[in-house]
Amino acid sequence: MQNQRWVFIVLLIFTFYSSTLPFFFFFTLASSSTLVCSDIDRAALLGFKSKITVDTTGSLSTWVGKDCCNGEWDGIQCNPTTGRVMGLVLQGTRNEDIAMYMKGTLSSSLSNLQFLEIMVITGMKEISGNIPESFSKLKHLNQLVLDDNILGGAIPSSLGQLSLLNTLSLSGNHLKGNIPPSIGTLQNLIQLNLAKNSLTGSIPPTFKTLKNLQSVDVSHNLLSGLVPGFIGGFKNLTFLDFSNNQFSGEFPSSLCSLPNLLDMSLSHNKLTGNLPIQICNLKSLSSLSLSFNHFHGEIPEAISKLQNLWYFNVSSNNFSDPLPVSLKTKGIPSLLSLDLSYNNLHLGKIPDWILKRKFTDIHLAGCNLKGALPKFLTPSSLNSIDFSHNQFSGGVSSFLIKMSGLQKLNLSNNLLKFNVSEILKNTNRYLEVLDVSGNQITGQLLEFRSGLRLKSLSVSRNKISGRIPSSISALIELEKLDISRNQIMGIIPPSLRELVSLKWLDLSINRLTGKIPDSLLRIENLKHANFRANRLCGQIPQGRPFNIFPAVAYAHNQCLCGKPLPPCKVK
């Protein structure tokens, strides 16, 4: 799914830059032009600059001198003939390790850029306040992109006056309230992105006139009501994401009449009913996500006619047996990623058509699977496997053979019996997530070899004994470590301090002794820790975050003391 979306984003970026090529051409010419930018435009830009109190990007430091069109003002594009500003493009970085951002507000002075066609102010992280109502005066504007800031308040209804607008993207902010019905008057709108905000209410009925839309994303909001049937009239639509909202009702059969739709996500809503057999009409569809809803009945046979579908996720619904018979014969030839987890399916064993196909992701959690773990015909293609919450039994050695590209493996909550060393020895160096919790695994944690890329390791609720090896420090990328509810003894190795990326640590309900090493204070990003029900003694490390975790995280030990527990007694 993520790969599909990145492909789509690349296409959008290509579309954006294709539409702005004239600006870059003009910009090149303008560098040799003798025209000086308009005083009105320069004042408008400096008005914006005055409202930015912090700029670690360095862009605004170039905004000096009288000529904003000389090619030296970062992000400014001008028309070489008129000397008027036509483009304002300021883009922050997505790299969290580099602190590049702007802090401040959007100045209404930008509305004085009378000839502005493109406004892109994205990824600045700390630009707050409201979107100025006066932006409605930008009558030449065709692209307004204000993603990934912290803008608040409501979406101004006055934006409906920007009749030339073809791209409106306000995602990743703190916007609230209803979607203004006036947006439905933007007849030239091609791309609409309001995702990752706190918008409420329903999709305005005025949107039915937006027949030129190619991409709609309103995901990760608090929207409710029905998924509008009129969307079936958007014949140019290629991308539709209504996920992570509170939409209810049934799957509109009219959505099945979108000939160019590539990607549809309605996951994490309250949708119900059966899937319509007309779904077979989505001939171009490559990605379909309907997870975490209340759909029921059988998955229709029509699904096998989606020849281009490579991602299919219907997990966490109420779909029932049997699976479409046609999947055994015709199948879905392009299918690479399949998730049928947590429905009312009683598969018994993994169907042969799944074992014989070249999949990248197979998620069949909670599908009532039994017996030994299966063998795939092409195991080297697998990136992710989730067989959790089933009744698999036996070992794992033969199952893991030739899984050279596996990155995520979840076998938790089964009846598996093997020595923990089996799975640690047979994992490849690309594995990032390993969860075998809730089984009947025995043995000891042996030495960890360097070069592993594990970010999450969970072996909780088993029968593992022995000590935590000091070589745990080799797992330098580890973010989650859960070895709770086993029979592990000995001390907490001081080498654990090397896991500076650790965010989750659970050592509870074991037989650990000694004290909690003060050296663990080096793990500054730790959000959760649990040392409960061991035999630990001594002062809890007196520094954040250890002295602010709840007292229950240290309960039922031998003699731990110090914040958040009572003070240690003076000897």
Side-chain angles (χ1 to χ4, degrees), residues 111 132-140 156-163:
S111 59
E133 289 273 355
S134 58
F135 278 7
S136 60
K137 292 162 52 176
L138 301 171
K139 299 302 183 182
H140 292 86
S157 60
S158 59
L159 295 183
Q161 300 174 31
L162 301 175
S163 59

Side-chain angles (χ1 to χ4, degrees), residues 352-482:
D352 287 341
W353 65 270
I354 292 180
L355 297 176
K356 294 177 180 179
R357 292 280 296 275
K358 193 173 184 178
F359 280 98
T360 57
D361 309 292
I362 295 290
H363 294 183
L364 300 175
C367 286
N368 291 287
L369 296 165
K370 302 177 182 179
L373 291 168
K375 291 184 179 180
F376 290 90
L377 194 62
T378 55
S380 60
S381 67
L382 288 164
N383 293 330
S384 176
I385 296 174
D386 188 351
F387 289 166
S388 61
H389 292 89
N390 282 293
Q391 300 172 48
F392 284 115
S393 57
V396 295
S397 296
S398 59
F399 170 69
L400 293 171
I401 291 175
K402 296 183 180 180
M403 288 190 180
S404 55
L406 196 62
Q407 297 178 14
K408 297 179 181 180
L409 176 61
N410 190 344
L411 300 175
S412 64
N413 298 287
N414 278 283
L415 303 172
L416 297 168
K417 293 182 180 180
F418 56 87
N419 191 296
V420 67
S421 61
E422 286 185 52
I423 197 160
L424 294 177
K425 285 179 180 179
N426 287 288
T427 55
N428 67 74
R429 63 189 182 94
Y430 299 109
L431 193 67
E432 295 183 357
V433 177
L434 175 60
D435 190 346
V436 290
S437 59
N439 282 285
Q440 300 173 28
I441 302 171
T442 57
Q444 300 182 13
L445 294 172
L446 301 179
E447 298 297 321
F448 292 97
R449 66 183 188 273
S450 60
L452 292 177
R453 299 182 182 177
L454 275 174
K455 293 183 178 179
S456 178
L457 173 61
S458 181
V459 295
S460 66
R461 292 178 289 118
N462 282 291
K463 299 177 181 179
I464 300 170
S465 58
R467 299 170 179 266
I468 303 173
S470 59
S471 59
I472 190 82
S473 59
L475 305 179
I476 57 175
E477 297 186 29
L478 205 63
E479 297 177 2
K480 177 179 179 178
L481 175 62
D482 188 352

Side-chain angles (χ1 to χ4, degrees), residues 56-57 90-101 122-125 148:
T56 64
T57 69
L90 298 171
Q91 295 175 292
T93 177
R94 293 180 180 271
N95 190 339
E96 295 182 0
D97 298 329
I98 303 175
M100 295 182 67
Y101 64 94
T122 67
M124 292 306 175
K125 302 175 185 175
D148 300 319

Side-chain angles (χ1 to χ4, degrees), residues 527-557:
K527 306 298 182 187
H528 169 90
N530 194 347
F531 301 92
R532 184 172 64 92
N534 279 286
R535 300 170 185 175
L536 299 168
C537 192
Q539 181 170 261
I540 294 167
Q542 291 302 290
R544 288 178 177 267
F546 292 92
N547 60 352
I548 62 170
F549 285 133
V552 69
Y554 304 101
H556 305 292
N557 274 284

Side-chain angles (χ1 to χ4, degrees), residues 208-228:
K208 63 184 177 182
T209 61
L210 301 178
K211 296 187 182 296
N212 291 318
L213 277 174
Q214 296 177 14
S215 172
V216 180
D217 190 348
V218 295
S219 63
H220 295 273
N221 279 288
L222 301 170
L223 298 169
S224 57
L226 303 178
V227 175

